[in-house]
Amino acid sequence: MPEGKDAPEVAPCCPPLTSPDLSAEDARTMAEMFKALGDPVRVLLFSRVASHSGGEVCVCDLGDLGVSQPTVSHHLKKLRDAGLVTSERRGTWVYYRVAPGVLARMGTMVSAR
Amino acid sequence: MPEGKDAPEVAPCCPPLTSPDLSAEDARTMAEMFKALGDPVRVLLFSRVASHSGGEVCVCDLGDLGVSQPTVSHHLKKLRDAGLVTSERRGTWVYYRVAPGVLARMGTMVSAR
């Protein structure tokens, strides 16, 4: 790989939520992720990113959620800070995609033991 | 059924988070659920309830999480208010279990389209 692109490290978090041996550290990591989705606008934004064809969405295509552009940016930042999405600026626009492994991790978290 | 026990109504919420046609109402419902789990103590409590043999746990068995009993009660109330757990008082103690359908609903939410 020619460049050391800052691919987010996907921690092997977490065991299922229904597991009896969740550590305090697991709980913190999981709570961070849940908290990031604990807002309707962020749920919609994440859903729009996750469902977009090509796996990537331009911030310029996220303007129809009934909230202002600064609000969209604020919530996208929260999703990014929580490791749920990644972003890349190309020219004028910033493009978002779901961070690698996030959906698999969520699936594991809510799976049965 | 002899008594009209207040079994929580399990709404047919929600489509997968990765679905392109999430409604604002779906997003609100999902955000409520995520928000309730957006705290490490609540993640641990939910996990303890979900993993307990027999599917039910006495509040008297939740005292070892390193937080005070009032704090445990506060967080259990948040989980109950969000529809994630149900509670029943029997004698001295209150018993908690995961609300019917909650794990299935979570599984659907984070499943691929």
Side-chain angles (χ1 to χ4, degrees), chain A residues 41-56:
Chain A
V41 175
R42 291 201 290 276
V43 167
L44 284 175
L45 282 170
F46 183 82
S47 171
R48 292 288 286 278
V49 174
S51 65
H52 211 264
S53 63
E56 185 179 76

Side-chain angles (χ1 to χ4, degrees), chain B residues 88-102:
Chain B
E88 189 181 4
R89 176 175 288 279
R90 291 202 301 273
T92 309
W93 299 109
V94 179
Y95 294 79
Y96 287 84
R97 50 176 64 234
V98 173
V102 158

